[in-house]
Amino acid sequence: MKMWKPPAVLAVVFSAWLLTTPARASAESHGVMRVEDNAGLFSSAGVNKAKESFEGTSFKAATHFTVVTFGKVPEAKRNDYELVKGDKSRKKSFMQDWAVELYKSKRETGILALVCMESGLVRVVTDRESDLHRHFGSDQCEHVAKIFVAGLLAGKGKKGVEATALHDAALMNSAEYVSSELKDTTIPEKSTHKTRNSGSGGNSIMSYVCIGIAVLLGLWLVVGIFRALTGSSGGGGGMM
């Protein structure tokens, strides 16, 4: 008895269905930590250790943590800083705007901490998703800033290896705090309704086409099985 074989087009249709079905996020995602230490506050070993800790953490959503340090305010921002440096409140606003500007220019996501030794301030900013969906808001940002400030104050007046060790500890503590706050949080998947309504709607049409073909192939499969069971085979033939 010749066995009925499903048509090769079945594999093609199945592949098309996979392409038009929204991809499911992996259960876990590793973190990404970047450190731009323009002020030379940390040791290479300290940076590597903090990065290994953060990036070795399993998160439920993509998580980024960026730390940028400056010894002095850059020349491009010098005039603006000179206007506010005598006013603590305005200086904080200056640092906040600078942090947001860095965040946008670097196209960052997640958490960004800006440390400026000249201003004596640390500002931490976050994206909307981390704030609203992962509950890493102003209070958590403030806590990260305090971790850095505490480390910098502890190292004030100290030199060399002793000061660097205290700064490294602050970097590690901040990385551990951010990872502990975010590792068990998720970002809601985007609505499939919104995705389908965006653009030309090609994906939506293709999905319906695939569904229709799948139904026809299902009927074809049932007929093929029935014919196999009754001893029939496809193609031409005759009675013996």
Side-chain angles (χ1 to χ4, degrees), residues 7-204:
V9 72
L10 183 61
V12 176
V13 174
F14 181 68
S15 298
W17 176 79
L18 288 177
L19 290 174
T20 56
T21 300
R24 289 172 172 78
S26 59
E28 294 184 345
S29 175
H30 292 292
V32 176
M33 184 175 182
R34 266 193 331 110
V35 180
E36 292 185 14
D37 188 17
N38 302 296
L41 297 176
F42 316 116
S43 68
S44 296
V47 171
N48 290 335
K49 188 176 180 180
K51 290 180 67 175
E52 287 175 5
S53 173
F54 190 83
E55 296 180 355
T57 301
S58 294
F59 295 90
K60 292 184 178 180
T63 306
H64 291 224
F65 181 36
T66 302
V67 179
V68 184
T69 73
F70 289 91
K72 293 184 176 295
V73 175
E75 286 302 316
K77 306 193 75 64
R78 173 58 57 184
N79 291 337
D80 292 337
Y81 179 69
E82 291 295 330
L83 294 174
V84 303
K85 67 178 184 180
D87 186 318
K88 188 174 182 179
S89 177
R90 294 177 66 193
K91 189 164 64 170
K92 283 184 176 180
S93 296
F94 165 83
M95 286 288 293
Q96 180 73 16
D97 293 342
W98 183 10
V100 172
E101 182 183 313
L102 277 175
Y103 196 96
K104 292 180 178 179
S105 66
K106 295 178 182 297
R107 297 181 178 180
E108 295 289 354
T109 58
I111 318 300
L112 181 141
L114 169 62
V115 181
C116 181
M117 299 302 289
E118 182 179 5
S119 70
L121 294 173
V122 178
R123 300 306 295 173
V124 180
V125 294
T126 186
D127 60 6
R128 183 178 178 83
E129 288 184 335
S130 297
D131 184 0
L132 295 181
H133 300 308
R134 308 183 74 181
H135 308 295
F136 200 100
S138 57
D139 290 343
Q140 288 71 26
C141 287
E142 190 66 27
H143 189 81
V144 174
K146 287 179 179 178
I147 290 174
F148 279 110
V149 169
L152 296 174
L153 288 176
K156 191 174 183 180
K158 296 180 175 60
K159 296 180 180 180
V161 176
E162 188 178 4
T164 301
L166 293 169
H167 300 159
D168 285 350
L171 183 65
M172 174 61 78
N173 291 339
S174 67
E176 290 178 342
Y177 174 75
V178 173
S179 62
S180 67
E181 288 291 310
L182 294 178
K183 66 180 182 180
D184 294 322
T185 63
T186 59
I187 299 173
E189 292 184 9
K190 293 181 180 180
S191 169
T192 54
H193 177 71
K194 291 183 180 180
T195 301
R196 288 174 179 170
N197 285 339
S198 62
S200 63
N203 283 344
S204 179

